[in-house]
Amino acid sequence: MHDDVKNLFKEKGLRITPQRLEIWNIVKKMDTHPATEDVFELVRKRFSNISFDTVYRTLTLFEKFGIIKKVHYFTNRTLYDTNLAPHHHFVCMRCRKIIDFTWEDMDNTDIPEYVKSMGKPDSIYVEIRGICKECLKKESRSKSKKKLKSQT
Ligand SMILES: [Zn+2]
Ligand SMILES: [Zn+2]
């Protein structure tokens, strides 16, 4: 795994530093589309002296070299995506979690002519907004608690 990273960096022409490797490993391990703040918190555990700015610049660099992608959501925070394969997002409106999914039928859908007339479409990206499983569970739990309370 470690060699893979080094090869990837080399291939892209990115200089390898221990901090960069650590940041990469952290981002890669998080499958939650982390914000710079999230990555910073984790990197600090090993590199206590690292500055927020360094993490920010490293992530920007990774993006420039095409090894991560930027995702923008309702907040002004920039989130990063390490999944470079074409995929869609399920966005939880409650906890703001973003879950990747693939949808082959959608990818192969014919783009309507009137959309094609707007320009040259390149790819289809679907964002489904809703409430994730975990949040639904929490919701039903707190509801049943309330029910119990009202009965007593
Ligand atoms: Zn949620
Ligand atoms: Zn994603």
Side-chain angles (χ1 to χ4, degrees):
M1 157 89 206
H2 228 71
D3 277 345
D4 282 354
V5 187
K6 285 184 177 156
N7 284 337
L8 176 74
F9 275 36
K10 253 185 227 156
E11 194 185 292
K12 298 276 177 182
L14 258 167
R15 200 162 53 86
I16 298 165
T17 68
Q19 280 97 334
R20 279 182 186 173
L21 284 181
E22 178 70 4
I23 292 174
W24 174 253
N25 285 331
I26 283 170
V27 172
K28 205 59 194 164
K29 254 185 258 156
M30 303 176 87
D31 53 358
T32 50
H33 307 77
T36 312
E37 289 83 354
D38 305 321
V39 180
F40 176 57
E41 284 308 315
L42 289 174
V43 180
R44 251 198 333 192
K45 287 187 184 155
R46 253 190 75 192
F47 295 93
S48 49
N49 288 327
I50 201 161
S51 69
F52 181 79
D53 197 51
T54 305
V55 176
Y56 173 81
R57 271 186 290 125
T58 306
L59 290 171
T60 310
L61 192 78
F62 283 174
E63 201 231 338
K64 221 171 88 189
F65 279 77
I67 56 177
I68 56 175
K69 261 190 325 192
K70 253 187 199 171
V71 208
H72 290 284
Y73 279 98
F74 355 91
T75 57
N76 291 325
R77 300 209 305 179
T78 299
L79 306 177
Y80 290 98
D81 200 338
T82 54
N83 184 355
L84 296 178
H87 66 278
H88 310 286
H89 284 151
F90 182 97
V91 183
C92 176
M93 299 305 283
R94 198 143 299 163
C95 67
R96 303 275 156 113
K97 182 166 51 196
I98 304 167
I99 308 163
D100 290 347
F101 66 90
T102 50
W103 191 357
E104 237 173 81
D105 286 347
M106 182 51 81
D107 298 337
N108 297 325
T109 300
D110 270 332
I111 295 171
E113 285 307 319
Y114 65 91
V115 176
K116 282 184 187 159
S117 74
M118 296 170 186
K120 190 174 161 288
D122 179 44
S123 57
I124 298 178
Y125 162 71
V126 177
E127 180 177 305
I128 296 183
R129 297 183 172 185
I131 298 169
C132 76
K133 258 198 302 199
E134 281 76 28
C135 287
L136 282 176
K137 250 189 242 161
K138 268 185 223 157
E139 204 170 74
S140 66
R141 241 184 275 145
S142 65
K143 260 187 200 152
S144 56
K145 258 187 210 160
K146 265 182 206 152
K147 251 189 210 161
L148 278 177
K149 263 187 195 160
S150 61
Q151 277 171 10
T152 50

